[in-house]
């Protein structure tokens, strides 16, 4: 029986090359070492992740990609921003990326700045990024709003300008190379937070149902208006 399990696992293995290094993945490896969250991934989700990694030439063991699974929500593939940058850099027409933040300055004007540093008196509105391709006349330009991505927690609270700048760069790279980078989202983007929130709601709902199931529903008491008025 044990030998049958081993043979099945070997049949599910996929081996491919990333930057000259061999990467070997299987559903069991994805389940044990690559998945984060409190949910159990399905075999289909693991196989889909493996194929996406092979196609995109990502190495999960270098934290270039991993799966997030919360509760019964669908698993989501997360890509490190550095992996997007590496893949874009491998494209022969890639000519670099520029980015910065968008602020409302002390002169009460909107300003597009380079980099991710806020000066005293500036209010952070969002970020911008542009990717240059040798085969395009104009750079691919993207702006993202801070309020649409800010969770107000963790690094978003400590480094808001840096975080929204990373989101803008990831969005610009995907827009510049939709075939090579399409479907690759970083952990800083909202889809992950929505997944977490949905799992929390589902978990609370399940616990509430468990608590209520122990109580016998009492007979409904009906009080008419005449009774209230007479009192």
């Amino acid at each position: 029986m044990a030998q049958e399990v081993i043979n099945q696992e070997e049949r599910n293995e996929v081996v491919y090359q990333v930057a000259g290094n061999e990467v070997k993945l299987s559903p069991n490896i994805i389940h044990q070492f690559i998945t984060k969250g409190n949910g159990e991934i399905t075999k289909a989700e693991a196989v889909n992740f493996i194929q996406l990694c092979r196609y995109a030439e990502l190495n999960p063991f270098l934290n270039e990609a991993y799966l997030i699974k919360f509760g019964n929500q669908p698993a989501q593939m997360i890509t490190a921003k550095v992996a997007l940058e590496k893949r874009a850099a491998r494209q022969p027409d890639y000519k670099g990326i520029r980015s910065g933040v968008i602020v409302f300055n002390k002169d009460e004007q909107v300003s597009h700045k380079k980099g991710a540093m806020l000066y005293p008196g500036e209010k952070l509105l969002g970020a911008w990024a542009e990717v240059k391709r040798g085969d395009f006349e104009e750079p691919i330009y993207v702006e993202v709003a801070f309020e649409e991505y800010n969770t107000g927690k963790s690094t978003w609270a400590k480094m808001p300008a840096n975080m929204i700048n990373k989101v803008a760069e990831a969005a610009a790279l995907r827009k510049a190379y939709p075939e090579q980078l399409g479907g690759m989202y970083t952990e800083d983007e909202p889809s992950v937070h929505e997944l977490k929130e949905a799992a929390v709601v589902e978990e609370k709902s399940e616990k509430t149902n468990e608590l209520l199931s122990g109580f016998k529903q009492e007979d409904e008491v009906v009080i008419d208006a005449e009774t209230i008025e007479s009192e």
Side-chain angles (χ1 to χ4, degrees):
M1 181 65 180
Q3 187 62 41
E4 290 180 4
V5 173
I6 294 173
N7 291 339
Q8 180 64 34
E9 182 67 18
E10 290 177 349
R11 285 195 294 270
N12 290 328
E13 281 184 351
V14 171
V15 181
Y16 59 97
Q17 297 286 322
V18 176
N21 297 315
E22 182 181 274
V23 178
K24 182 184 294 185
L25 296 176
S26 69
N28 188 47
I29 290 173
I30 301 302
H31 173 73
Q32 292 191 49
F33 305 109
I34 311 297
T35 303
K36 300 181 180 181
N38 58 16
E40 293 287 332
I41 62 169
T42 66
K43 182 178 178 181
E45 289 172 334
V47 171
N48 186 51
F49 175 78
I50 292 171
Q51 297 304 327
L52 287 172
C53 285
R54 180 171 67 170
Y55 172 77
E57 298 179 12
L58 297 172
N59 187 345
F61 300 108
L62 296 180
N63 294 320
E64 292 183 347
Y66 55 92
L67 274 180
I68 285 186
K69 176 84 171 184
F70 288 101
N72 294 321
Q73 301 300 312
Q76 183 168 355
M77 176 177 175
I78 300 302
T79 309
K81 189 170 78 72
V82 66
L84 299 181
E85 294 168 337
K86 287 179 181 179
R87 187 160 178 79
R90 291 200 291 266
Q91 308 308 312
D93 51 25
Y94 179 68
K95 301 300 180 182
I97 184 172
R98 298 171 64 245
S99 66
V101 292
I102 305 170
V103 301
F104 191 71
N105 60 34
K106 60 183 179 179
D107 296 325
E108 298 186 349
Q109 294 185 358
V110 176
S111 174
H112 290 63
K113 300 171 48 176
K114 294 180 181 178
M117 182 174 179
L118 292 178
Y119 298 153
E122 292 180 334
K123 178 182 178 181
L124 182 61
L125 300 179
W128 63 273
E130 63 176 28
V131 174
K132 293 183 179 180
R133 287 185 52 160
D135 55 345
F136 283 19
E137 291 185 5
E138 298 292 333
I140 291 82
Y141 183 81
V142 166
E143 289 186 2
V144 293
F146 177 66
E147 64 179 13
E148 294 181 1
Y149 292 86
N150 177 34
T151 65
K153 301 175 183 177
S154 188
T155 48
W156 278 96
K158 297 177 182 178
M159 301 183 293
N162 183 60
M163 295 299 288
I164 194 62
N165 187 65
K166 288 165 60 178
V167 170
E169 290 184 342
L173 289 168
R174 275 197 308 273
K175 188 174 181 180
Y177 296 100
E179 290 188 12
Q180 294 83 358
L181 304 179
M184 298 186 191
Y185 291 89
T186 67
E187 191 170 3
D188 307 317
E189 297 179 88
S191 50
V192 177
H193 305 299
E194 292 169 0
L195 190 64
K196 289 180 181 178
E197 290 172 2
V200 170
V201 170
E202 179 181 319
E203 183 178 354
K204 287 182 177 178
S205 177
E206 289 179 355
K207 288 182 178 179
T208 301
N209 290 335
E210 289 176 4
L211 289 171
L212 292 177
S213 65
F215 292 88
K216 181 180 179 182
Q217 186 174 359
E218 297 181 358
D219 294 335
E220 194 174 41
V221 178
V222 179
I223 303 177
D224 58 36
E226 292 182 1
T227 304
I228 295 175
E229 289 177 359
S230 63
E231 293 177 353

